[in-house]
Amino acid sequence: MQEDEVSSLITEEIEKIEDDALRPFISEIVQHERANLDNKFAEFNDKYDDLVNKFADNQSLDDFDS
């Protein structure tokens, strides 16, 4: 996975959203936030890491992307 790409785990979940107005909105937010995650001073960087660990059963996202 390139550093600026959103994980396929996340994009697959976004695609399941049935609301045609909400799906692109969420997608845009995720893409915007992903672009800022590598900034070590990003405001929510640690919170995102905690959420990924919580919801990915402590598996690395690198295990899922090729």
Side-chain angles (χ1 to χ4, degrees), residues 9 52-53 56-65:
L9 290 172
V52 167
N53 287 332
D57 295 326
N58 295 320
Q59 295 176 347
S60 171
L61 289 178
D62 293 333
D63 294 342
F64 297 98
D65 292 320

Side-chain angles (χ1 to χ4, degrees), residues 6-63:
V6 175
S7 168
S8 61
L9 290 172
I10 295 170
T11 57
E12 288 170 7
E13 289 300 314
I14 292 171
E15 288 303 314
K16 294 177 185 176
I17 299 172
E18 294 180 11
D19 185 320
D20 290 337
L22 182 60
R23 186 176 49 256
F25 175 73
I26 297 295
S27 182
E28 286 291 324
I29 289 173
V30 168
Q31 288 174 8
H32 171 78
E33 291 297 323
R34 177 60 191 103
N36 294 304
L37 280 179
D38 292 325
N39 177 353
K40 73 179 195 174
F41 299 108
E43 182 177 354
F44 299 109
N45 201 0
D46 292 335
K47 280 208 176 276
Y48 287 133
D49 286 342
D50 292 343
L51 288 170
V52 167
N53 287 332
K54 178 180 177 182
F55 290 103
D57 295 326
N58 295 320
Q59 295 176 347
S60 171
L61 289 178
D62 293 333
D63 294 342

